[in-house]
């Protein structure tokens, strides 16, 4: 039996990440991987250890609809997405839509083709809870250290981060 999930679709991953970069402009690769995971599975944010000032994010994440099943093991699913995400980042840099420098992926001035731009706008309107609330709030949390996004999400190892 073949089961489709957009999280494992490399083209969907491209659209997710270019949509995030269209809003953020630039993002650390590790942060972008976590944000992409949250866009594919918005309810996982309810499992994050968030600062008290951002506890409202859990309610917003609960309101985000996900027509697909949430991961049974967040860490295993996140690890399984690594190759697809890194391939998407490589594709974005190869096409000139983004640059990668010192672990930061940045959107270039290259205009998006109309079809891709429409698809990104459509994704941003469909996933408005993520793009209106979750993205800016998660982006405001530092990435590194014991109180960083990597530690709070428990998706990546943080003990060896240089803070």
């Amino acid at each position: 039996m073949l089961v489709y999930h957009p999280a494992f679709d490399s083209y969907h991953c491209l659209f997710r990440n270019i949509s995030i970069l269209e809003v953020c402009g630039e993002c650390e690769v590790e942060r972008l991987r976590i944000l992409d995971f949250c866009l594919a599975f918005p309810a996982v944010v309810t499992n994050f250890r968030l600062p008290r000032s951002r506890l409202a994010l859990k309610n917003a994440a609960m309101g985000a609809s996900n027509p697909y099943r949430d991961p049974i093991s967040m860490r295993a699913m996140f690890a399984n997405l690594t190759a697809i995400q890194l391939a998407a980042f490589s594709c974005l840099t190869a096409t000139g839509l983004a640059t990668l420098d010192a672990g930061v992926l940045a959107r270039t001035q290259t205009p998006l083709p109309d079809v891709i731009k429409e698809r990104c706008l459509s994704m941003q309107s469909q996933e408005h809870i993520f793009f209106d609330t979750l993205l800016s709030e998660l982006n405001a949390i530092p990435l590194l250290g014991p109180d960083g996004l990597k530690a709070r999400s428990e998706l990546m190892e943080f003990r060896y981060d240089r803070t």
Side-chain angles (χ1 to χ4, degrees):
M1 179 166 108
L2 182 64
V3 177
Y4 172 78
H5 197 294
F8 293 105
D9 183 339
S10 57
Y11 293 109
H12 196 270
C13 188
L14 278 168
F15 285 115
R16 289 193 311 262
N17 285 290
I18 198 68
S19 296
I20 293 170
L21 287 175
E22 281 290 301
V23 174
C24 296
E26 68 178 27
C27 198
E28 301 101 329
V29 169
E30 293 171 325
R31 180 185 302 276
L32 187 56
R33 289 191 57 225
I34 294 171
L35 293 174
D36 175 61
F37 186 72
C38 293
L39 179 54
F41 304 103
V44 299
V45 175
T46 61
N47 298 320
F48 289 9
R49 187 179 44 86
L50 297 170
R52 288 202 186 278
S53 62
R54 292 190 165 76
L55 286 179
L57 282 178
K58 290 189 179 198
N59 292 333
M62 291 295 283
S65 65
N66 186 2
Y68 302 96
R69 186 181 63 137
D70 285 331
I72 294 170
S73 168
M74 285 186 355
R75 287 190 83 144
M77 182 73 80
F78 186 76
N80 290 339
L81 283 175
T82 301
I84 295 167
Q85 290 173 326
L86 296 179
F89 301 157
S90 294
C91 185
L92 290 173
T93 57
T95 57
L97 294 174
T99 59
L100 180 62
D101 186 33
V104 175
L105 200 67
R107 177 74 172 89
T108 63
Q109 297 298 322
T110 305
L112 289 175
D114 291 337
V115 174
I116 295 176
K117 188 172 195 144
E118 289 172 21
R119 172 76 189 230
C120 289
L121 291 173
S122 173
M123 179 180 286
Q124 290 171 1
S125 68
Q126 288 174 352
E127 302 296 336
H128 64 89
I129 292 174
F130 176 83
F131 285 100
D132 294 345
T133 306
L134 297 177
L135 180 59
S136 61
E137 292 291 327
L138 291 174
N139 219 6
I141 298 172
L143 178 65
L144 306 175
D147 290 325
L149 187 59
K150 288 169 57 175
R152 291 181 181 280
S153 67
E154 297 180 356
L155 293 172
M156 300 175 110
E157 183 58 55
F158 68 93
R159 289 182 291 180
Y160 307 107
D161 288 347
R162 294 180 60 184
T163 54

